[in-house]
Amino acid sequence: MTYDAKKDIKWGIAPIGWRNDDIPSIGKDNNLQQLLSDIVVAGFQGTEVGGFFPGPEKLNYELKLRNLEIAGQWFSSFIIRDGIEKASEAFEKHCQFLHAVHAPIAVVSEQTYTIQQSDTANIFTDKHHFTDAEWDQVTAGLNHYGEIAAKYGIKVAYHHHMGTGIQTKEETDRLMASTDPKLVGLLYDTGHIAVSDGDYMSLLNDHIDRIVHVHFKDVRRDKEKDSREKGLTFQGSFLNGMFTVPGDGDLDFKPVYKKLIENNYKGWIVVEAEQDPEKANPLEMAQKAHKYIEQELIGNN
Ligand SMILES: O=C1C[C@@H](O)[C@H](O)[C@@H](O)C1=O
Ligand SMILES: [Co+2]
C-alpha cells in the first residue's frame, strides 16, 4: 500500500498541559470529560493515559462518545531497583491495561535513580550515569518487556528523558545498540533531546528506523537558559516556562516532520508540553499547536 502521511500518522495531545502527574495540585480542577472535550475542540484524534484517568470501562465509554483513541501510556520502570522479574510483573499489568483501552504503545522510562521529581537536584548537572552492570540489567529487562508487550500486540517505545540514566544521544545510542530492534523501539521526544544535547536532529536521523512513537515538545531557549543559570530542578524548569507546544517555542519542527514522512513513519505524533495551566490555557495551547501542525507541517508537505 502506498504511504499516505495524512492517514498513516495520527495526531494526539497529552494530558500533561491540563494536569501533571508529578505535581497533582497542578490543574486538579481539570477533569477527564473537560480534557477529552478540549482535545476534540482542538482537532486531535487522541491522547495518552494520564495518572488520574479511570479504569478501562469508564475510559472507553468517554472516548467513544468523542471518537477519540488512546495512543499509549507512560510506564515508570524500575528494572535496576527491583530486578527484571518484579519489574516485568508490573509491566505486564501495564500492558493488560493498554490492551483493554486498545492502545498500541507502552512508553517506557527506566526511573531508577531519576531526578525528574526531585525538589532539589539541578536537572542540568546532577543526573546519574549507569554503570556497565546497570546497563546490562536494564537492556536485558527491556528486551524482556518487548516479549511481554508483543503478547498483547503492543510495542515498547523507550523514552530518553532528562534527569534519567538514558538522557543524552550517546546514552540513547548505547541503548539502541544493546537492545533487540524487534523488541525495543524508540520514542523520539524533541524537547528532551533539545534540552539535553542542544541538537535534536541527530537522534532522529540516526535512529529513524527504531522510532515507533513521537512526542512533539517545543523549547523556549531563553527560559531554558534562565533555568540552567539558576540551576533549577526539572519541575522548576517547566514551571519557569521551558517547554511549550510546537509553533510557540524555538524548535523547528519542519525538518523533523519531513524526515519522519520521508521515512514513511506510521504511528502517533503526540504534542506534549508540560506547563502551568494557570499561565498557559491548555485549550488555547492545544489549538495553537493544531493550527501550526495543519498550516506549517501537513499543509507544506
Ligand atoms: O513523556 C513524558 C511523560 C512525563 O511524565 C514526563 O515527565 C515528560 O517530561 C515527558 O516527556
Ligand atoms: Co515525552
Side-chain angles (χ1 to χ4, degrees), residues 68-108:
L68 287 175
E69 292 172 48
I70 294 292
Q73 183 181 11
W74 172 274
F75 177 72
S76 290
S77 167
F78 290 96
I79 294 168
I80 297 172
R81 185 193 71 186
D82 296 344
I84 295 177
E85 200 181 322
K86 187 167 171 209
S88 298
E89 279 168 28
F91 182 68
E92 180 134 16
K93 288 202 183 93
H94 185 78
C95 289
Q96 285 161 355
F97 179 88
L98 289 175
H99 185 67
V101 298
H102 318 293
I105 295 291
V107 175
V108 175

Side-chain angles (χ1 to χ4, degrees), residues 74 159 161 187 189 192 215 217 272:
W74 172 274
H159 195 319
H161 199 289
L187 186 159
D189 185 314
H192 280 280
H215 282 169
K217 193 194 290 295
E272 192 204 42

Side-chain angles (χ1 to χ4, degrees), residues 289-301:
H290 194 265
K291 191 170 167 200
Y292 173 80
I293 290 163
E294 285 271 299
Q295 292 182 352
E296 304 295 329
L297 305 184
I298 299 173
N300 273 329
N301 285 281

Side-chain angles (χ1 to χ4, degrees), residues 7-76:
K7 292 195 185 116
D8 290 323
I9 294 180
K10 291 184 183 179
W11 291 91
I13 187 161
I16 209 161
W18 284 258
R19 279 174 69 155
N20 195 297
D21 287 348
D22 293 338
I23 314 179
S25 57
I26 285 202
K28 63 178 179 346
D29 297 329
N30 291 321
N31 65 22
L32 177 76
Q33 288 82 353
Q34 176 75 53
L35 161 76
L36 296 180
S37 293
D38 280 1
I39 289 173
V40 174
V41 170
F44 288 92
Q45 293 162 276
T47 188
E48 291 183 4
V49 177
F52 65 98
F53 278 26
E57 200 181 329
K58 166 89 175 137
L59 181 54
N60 286 337
Y61 171 76
E62 296 292 345
L63 291 166
K64 194 163 174 227
L65 288 176
R66 297 167 177 84
N67 195 25
L68 287 175
E69 292 172 48
I70 294 292
Q73 183 181 11
W74 172 274
F75 177 72
S76 290

